[in-house]
């Protein structure tokens, strides 16, 4: 009886840690799905980047998520730069994209260049995202011509929420859907390397995705986009606020945080924390030289 040697097992492939660039994002079109998440500080950015997420967005959503505001409209350039610097200092692989906050680009291409330049030089990002098309196409072209990659954003654009009448799905009629398609094609022509589609009917997002040669990143836009993006705090269940229908919660960290903080409070009140293992000893000779109350043991009251 002949014995056949077992087939050699190939070593597991290691994920490359080469930084992701905008050309990599464009090349993913039709080849693989793109994963994108928000991050606003160093610890969460490092965790997300360690999972090989392709794109990290420092969104102006930080106004609501991190600063407790009701919308994104009051977020300033200084606040964006501050959070971008924290994120980029902890990321080694993901492409970090920054939102251009409200009124940082709408007024003129010159304003767009100046403020995007701050996000690049001071914040360390390597692409910016701006909302809308139409009147803002000159801004997109000016940024691209200056060497600043631009991610577009159409559909529900939170900076226009007052104009849109609230956080509503966009493109629900045939005419509105055609306008979105025209906007997407115009943004591609202007030089965007990708476009976020937010709160767009799935069939409309599918048609836009098929019509473009650059990737679409969906959020509430169905499964046919080239990638997906979510707000990290929403998908981790870190907040008790109502989350949009398109969010899938992958964890309930708010419950775990509440349980941990409650346990800490109870142990402090009971004297169970800190224990001897959480303190530092002093040599007996030094303690004798210190003198003082002989009843003081350093072990705390129980």
């Amino acid at each position: 009886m002949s014995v056949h040697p077992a087939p050699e097992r190939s070593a597991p492939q290691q994920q490359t840690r080469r930084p992701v660039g905008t050309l990599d994002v464009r090349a993913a079109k039709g080849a693989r799905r793109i994963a994108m998440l928000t991050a606003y500080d160093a610890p969460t950015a490092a965790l997300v980047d360690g999972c090989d997420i392709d794109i990290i967005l420092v969104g102006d959503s930080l106004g609501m998520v991190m600063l407790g505001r009701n919308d994104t409209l009051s977020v300033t350039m200084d606040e964006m730069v501050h959070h971008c610097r924290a994120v980029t200092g902890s990321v080694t692989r993901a492409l970090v994209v920054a939102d251009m906050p409200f009124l940082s680009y709408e007024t003129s291409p010159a304003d767009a260049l100046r403020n995007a330049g701050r996000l690049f030089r001071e914040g360390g990002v390597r692409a910016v995202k701006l909302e809308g098309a139409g009147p803002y196409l000159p801004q997109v072209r000016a940024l691209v011509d200056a060497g600043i990659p631009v991610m577009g954003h159409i559909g529900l654009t939170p900076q226009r929420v007052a104009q849109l009448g609230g956080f509503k799905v966009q493109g629900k009629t045939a005419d509105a859907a055609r306008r979105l398609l025209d906007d997407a094609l115009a943004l591609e022509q202007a030089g965007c390397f990708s476009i976020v589609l937010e709160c767009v009917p799935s069939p409309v997002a599918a048609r836009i995705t098929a019509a473009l040669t650059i990737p679409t990143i969906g959020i509430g836009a169905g499964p046919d986009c080239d990638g997906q993006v979510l707000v990290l705090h929403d998908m981790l269940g870190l907040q008790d606020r109502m989350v949009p229908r398109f969010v899938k919660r992958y964890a309930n960290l708010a419950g775990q945080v509440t349980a941990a903080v409650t346990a800490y409070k109870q142990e402090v009140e009971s004297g169970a924390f800190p224990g001897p293992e959480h303190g530092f000893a002093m040599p007996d000779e030094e303690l004798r030289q210190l003198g003082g109350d002989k009843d003081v043991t350093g072990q705390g009251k129980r």
Side-chain angles (χ1 to χ4, degrees), residues 116 125 131:
V125 305
E131 298 180 8

Side-chain angles (χ1 to χ4, degrees), residues 13-270:
Q13 291 185 342
Q14 296 293 322
Q15 286 279 358
T16 177
R17 294 302 297 174
R18 181 177 64 83
V20 176
T22 57
L23 294 181
D24 299 305
V25 174
R26 293 186 67 128
K29 176 85 175 182
R32 65 178 183 84
R33 298 293 179 93
I34 300 164
M36 176 173 167
L37 282 172
T38 64
Y40 313 102
D41 56 39
T44 52
L47 289 171
V48 170
D49 189 51
C51 296
D52 287 336
I53 289 292
D54 299 302
I55 305 172
I56 291 177
L57 173 66
V58 186
D60 58 3
S61 50
L62 67 86
M64 303 169 72
V65 175
M66 302 296 288
L67 305 178
R69 300 171 188 168
N70 292 324
D71 55 40
T72 65
L73 301 181
S74 64
V75 174
T76 67
M77 275 298 303
D78 286 343
E79 288 168 338
M80 288 301 303
V81 168
H82 172 84
H83 286 271
C84 286
R85 186 183 294 122
V87 169
T88 56
S90 299
V91 170
T92 61
R93 179 181 181 273
L95 172 67
V96 180
V97 180
D99 267 334
M100 298 199 67
F102 184 54
L103 292 182
S104 68
Y105 63 92
E106 293 93 333
T107 47
S108 70
D111 285 343
L113 279 168
R114 183 177 64 257
N115 288 316
R118 286 195 63 194
L119 293 171
F120 260 62
R121 290 193 304 269
E122 300 174 44
V125 305
R126 288 300 171 258
V128 298
K129 179 170 74 65
L130 55 83
E131 298 180 8
Y136 312 121
L137 294 174
Q139 281 86 323
V140 173
R141 295 189 190 99
L143 293 174
V144 173
D145 288 346
I148 298 176
V150 177
M151 175 181 284
H153 184 157
I154 59 174
L156 171 58
T157 47
Q159 292 177 9
R160 310 290 181 270
V161 68
Q163 191 177 48
L164 296 174
F167 294 93
K168 299 178 180 180
V169 177
Q170 303 297 304
K172 295 179 71 173
T173 68
D175 286 344
R178 290 190 192 99
R179 287 194 295 271
L180 284 178
L181 176 57
D182 289 343
D183 284 345
L185 291 169
L187 286 168
E188 178 181 50
Q189 184 64 32
C192 286
F193 71 92
S194 61
I195 298 177
V196 169
L197 304 178
E198 182 169 358
C199 288
V200 173
S202 299
V204 176
R207 291 197 178 195
I208 293 173
T209 300
L212 298 179
T213 61
I214 59 174
T216 59
I217 310 293
I219 178 167
D224 293 312
C225 295
D226 298 299
Q228 298 292 327
V229 59
L230 285 176
V231 171
L232 183 70
H233 291 61
D234 287 344
M235 59 91 72
L236 291 180
L238 274 167
Q239 299 180 121
D240 290 331
R241 65 175 184 164
M242 185 181 68
V243 297
R245 172 180 174 177
F246 55 76
V247 173
K248 178 177 179 179
R249 279 192 162 169
Y250 288 82
N252 179 25
L253 297 191
Q256 295 185 42
V257 170
T258 299
V261 172
T262 300
Y264 164 76
K265 177 178 181 290
Q266 291 172 346
E267 289 196 1
V268 169
E269 291 175 342
S270 70

Side-chain angles (χ1 to χ4, degrees), residues 274-293:
E277 68 274 21
H278 303 119
F280 302 94
M282 183 177 185
D284 290 342
E285 178 59 30
E286 299 296 329
L287 185 58
R288 282 193 294 272
Q289 291 184 34
L290 177 63
D293 189 347

